[in-house]
Amino acid sequence: MHLVMSQAAERGARVIAGAALALAGLVAVPSCTVPSRQEPGQATAAVRDAVAQATSAVETTRLTLRLFDDDRIPSTVADTALLDQLRVLDEASTALTTLVPPDDASAAHRAASADAVDGAVTSVVDARAWVAREAGGNLSADGGVPTSYDELASDLTDVADGLGQAYAEAGGQ
Amino acid sequence: MKRILGAALGILTAIGGFVDIGDLVTNAVVGSRFGLSLVWVVLLGVVGICLFANMSGRVAAVSGRATFEVIRERLGPRAAGANLVASFAINLLTLTAEVGGIALALHLVSSVEPRLWIPVAALAVWLVLWRTKFQIMENVAGLLGLLLIGFAVALFLLGPDWGELVRQVTQPSVPQSESPAVYWFYAIALFGAAMTPYEVFFFSSGAVEEGWKAKDLAQNRVNVLVGFPLGGLLSVAIAATAAVVLLPAGIEVSSLSQIVLPVAAAGGTLLLAAVIIGIFAATFGAALETSLSSGYTLAQFFGWSWGKFRRPARAARFHLTLIVSLVVAVAVLMTSVDPIAVTEMSVVFSAVALPLTYVPILVVANDPEYMGRHVNGRVMNALGGVYLVVIVVAALAAIPLMIATGAGS
């Protein structure tokens, strides 16, 4: 009986160890999927990907602010959506700053795109501060917080245009 | 009358319980990037899950035992062990994603960091598992999950170009901005999301928990054949709202907060509130189901006493498995890993594990020794054979496509 139990326990331990290994594999494999883009064409593609990511974040911010201004979403949802976009922009920024450009052309694309993404970060930070102000926070123009939705919307349009230009320069359509 | 009400409740909970965080995220991501050009995959997945859930429920109702117990007995410990490893690992990953999903839903309504919500969410899941009766737990989560119908309501309120949507469904194509490899990667992810293995194991174990007999087979069939396809329509509605609002704006979904924006745009705060409650209920319900499935798979393989119909003291190792699974899920999420990334991984690896999960069910459902006159018919076996091919192809292609596309990026 004891022998049967210990064999069963051993089998069980083997199965659990297998499951743990499989789980470790599940976590490890995705980390190997980040492509290394070293060739000029690949570097430009990586720049385009980062700019597309940033553009998505800016468009999400525009939609979020419009809905908040129309009283269609509460401040908590708006704040969460904007915070999520800051994370996306952080990823885009990291993708650009960690990219080693293989030639001058891709270096120029990277620099222009990094500037555009920096502008997007500033705008989303401003947008979040504005939402906090509208939700009753003690923030004013003296603290650099935009005073109106129109001001923010105009700023975001400029940022989106800048990103569009960076995307086009990197060969995007 | 009681039977009709029971059937209606079964269908409603099947609809509400169909969508989980994997369906939510994958459908929204796909909608925002490919429009409705991958709806055919949802259809394929729904037919597949109906087929195998029906088989699995039939095995449980006829034999009075859960599928995993029968698989172990019928195929032996080695083959059943492979099934266990694949199912348990995927289940744990899915549970992690669901707990993360609850935390994200709470983050959305509170602005409080998800990492603060994660232990709270896991504790709440455990308390419900510990204290609440199986049927109450399943029905409440399933019925509240029905609030996800808000996505379908939003779609109508948005007043889209229906002709264009129908064109995307009937003439699927790869958008210019995406590569064919990424299209197929998301096709497999969507297939994995629709056919998540835990659904079948939970379904068959739930049948034992609720004491189904052969006479309940008709109700089982109705629940599956009506409830799951309607649940699939909810998935399509999620993709469609993203396709109508987010795709034209160039927004690629990467967070839960983006998924609800089209709903707010269409219906304002009231509809948004309903959908957020629906998301909470859907992820909470799925967390309950995946926690239980962890216990079911392990307990049924090792022959431990299991089930919520037993007092915890009578199924101690089963309940300990639930607790340990939840602790592991919390531990993984507390490393700051993005719950959405975990979700995306879980649906892809679900696809990888599909053959190990579904082939044994097909074998058992064909064994007259267990099934008697309720053994699979020709049509079921023909469909099962077709799905076997699809499942194997999806499983083989999943990881190469994930590597080639940088996980769809």
Side-chain angles (χ1 to χ4, degrees):
Chain A
M1 179 66 180
H2 179 72
L3 185 66
V4 173
M5 283 300 287
S6 65
Q7 279 177 343
E10 196 183 318
R11 264 204 310 273
R14 245 185 277 147
V15 169
I16 290 166
L21 269 175
L23 194 64
L26 299 189
V27 175
V29 169
S31 64
C32 304
T33 61
V34 178
S36 170
R37 287 175 162 147
Q38 297 296 326
E39 296 300 316
Q42 290 176 316
T44 309
V47 169
R48 275 201 305 272
D49 288 349
V51 175
Q53 236 182 330
T55 304
S56 168
V58 169
E59 292 301 335
T60 305
T61 303
R62 289 168 79 166
L63 177 60
T64 303
L65 291 181
R66 199 177 73 231
L67 294 174
F68 180 68
D69 190 53
D70 289 348
D71 288 330
R72 287 182 165 261
I73 52 173
S75 58
T76 51
V77 173
D79 183 65
T80 303
L82 296 178
L83 182 62
D84 287 335
Q85 300 326 301
L86 284 174
R87 292 202 184 98
V88 172
L89 289 169
D90 187 42
E91 277 176 34
S93 183
T94 303
L96 291 171
T97 50
T98 55
L99 181 75
V100 180
D103 60 5
D104 290 344
S106 43
H109 294 149
R110 192 195 65 156
S113 301
D115 284 347
V117 172
D118 283 348
V121 171
T122 307
S123 293
V124 179
V125 168
D126 284 350
R128 211 166 162 234
W130 179 75
V131 168
R133 198 181 76 108
E134 293 294 301
N138 189 20
L139 297 158
S140 69
D142 294 342
V145 179
T147 51
S148 70
Y149 166 73
D150 291 338
E151 187 185 334
L152 267 173
S154 159
D155 183 32
L156 283 165
T157 304
D158 293 344
V159 168
D161 289 346
L163 284 166
Q165 198 178 334
Y167 189 74
E169 281 170 10
Q173 292 172 346
Chain B
M1 187 63 187
K2 199 178 168 189
R3 280 184 74 83
I4 293 171
L5 281 175
L9 188 63
I11 292 168
L12 290 175
T13 52
I15 300 168
F18 183 84
V19 175
D20 65 2
I21 189 74
D23 293 297
L24 259 169
V25 170
T26 316
N27 279 288
V29 170
V30 163
S32 72
R33 293 178 64 168
F34 302 94
L36 293 186
S37 63
L38 280 166
V39 164
W40 64 270
V41 180
V42 178
L43 184 67
L44 192 70
V46 168
V47 173
I49 194 75
C50 286
L51 185 72
F52 285 97
N54 185 30
M55 269 187 227
S56 184
R58 190 153 35 91
V59 169
V62 172
S63 68
R65 296 158 70 192
T67 310
F68 224 99
E69 285 180 314
V70 181
I71 287 172
R72 159 88 200 240
E73 190 176 277
R74 171 68 175 75
L75 301 179
R78 199 173 286 273
N83 185 341
L84 171 73
V85 170
S87 304
F88 191 80
I90 295 305
N91 200 58
L92 203 51
L93 199 60
T94 312
L95 170 62
T96 306
E98 303 298 347
V99 173
I102 302 170
L104 288 179
L106 292 169
H107 174 49
L108 204 53
V109 291
S110 66
S111 274
V112 174
E113 263 294 294
R115 279 212 296 169
L116 289 174
W117 283 119
I118 288 163
V120 177
L123 184 65
V125 169
W126 174 74
L127 278 174
V128 171
L129 288 171
W130 188 262
R131 299 291 305 169
T132 312
K133 284 186 177 168
F134 184 87
Q135 276 185 323
I136 295 174
M137 182 192 91
E138 198 189 13
N139 292 342
V140 170
L143 290 176
L144 283 176
L146 277 177
L147 288 171
L148 290 176
I149 286 175
F151 279 102
V153 174
L155 182 61
F156 281 94
L157 292 176
L158 285 167
D161 178 350
W162 292 104
E164 171 57 20
L165 291 183
V166 169
R167 192 198 61 75
Q168 288 176 18
V169 174
T170 53
Q171 298 167 37
S173 59
V174 184
Q176 276 188 335
S177 55
E178 304 286 354
S179 71
V182 173
Y183 179 86
W184 286 105
F185 171 76
Y186 277 107
I188 288 173
L190 213 48
F191 188 62
M195 290 198 68
T196 316
Y198 83 85
E199 289 175 6
V200 167
F201 288 116
F202 178 78
F203 196 73
S204 89
S205 303
V208 177
E209 294 261 25
E210 292 177 332
W212 287 13
K213 303 281 180 236
K215 66 180 171 58
D216 299 312
L217 281 176
Q219 188 177 331
N220 162 43
R221 205 166 291 142
V222 171
N223 286 357
V224 168
L225 297 182
V226 179
F228 283 2
L230 290 176
L233 280 181
L234 282 187
S235 298
V236 174
I238 293 166
T241 53
V244 170
V245 175
L246 306 181
L247 178 63
I251 295 172
E252 284 184 15
V253 168
S254 59
S255 61
L256 192 64
S257 57
Q258 289 169 306
I259 297 172
V260 299
L261 291 179
V263 175
T269 46
L270 195 62
L271 195 59
L272 176 67
V275 161
I276 292 176
I277 294 171
I279 292 174
F280 177 81
T283 49
F284 199 93
L288 294 171
E289 292 179 6
T290 43
S291 303
L292 283 170
S293 293
S294 300
Y296 290 146
T297 48
L298 216 57
Q300 288 165 14
F301 180 83
F302 289 113
W304 301 339
S305 176
W306 61 272
K308 272 189 61 60
F309 60 91
R310 292 190 172 96
R311 290 162 60 97
R314 300 275 177 201
R317 282 177 289 194
F318 168 73
H319 276 274
L320 182 64
T321 308
L322 308 189
I323 294 169
V324 171
S325 300
L326 279 166
V327 169
V328 171
V330 169
V332 170
L333 289 166
M334 292 306 272
T335 61
S336 292
V337 64
D338 179 9
I340 298 291
V342 174
T343 304
E344 288 175 342
M345 287 303 127
S346 76
V347 295
V348 175
F349 281 102
S350 284
V352 174
L354 288 177
L356 288 170
T357 308
Y358 288 110
V359 172
I361 293 171
L362 193 58
V363 172
V364 171
N366 267 298
D367 192 331
E369 203 175 313
Y370 292 99
M371 301 301 291
R373 66 188 178 87
H374 296 289
V375 74
N376 268 0
R378 276 188 195 161
V379 176
M380 285 292 255
N381 275 336
L383 273 172
V386 170
Y387 269 85
L388 212 58
V389 174
V390 175
I391 282 167
V392 169
V393 169
L396 291 175
I399 291 184
L401 278 174
M402 185 171 77
I403 293 169
T405 62
S409 61

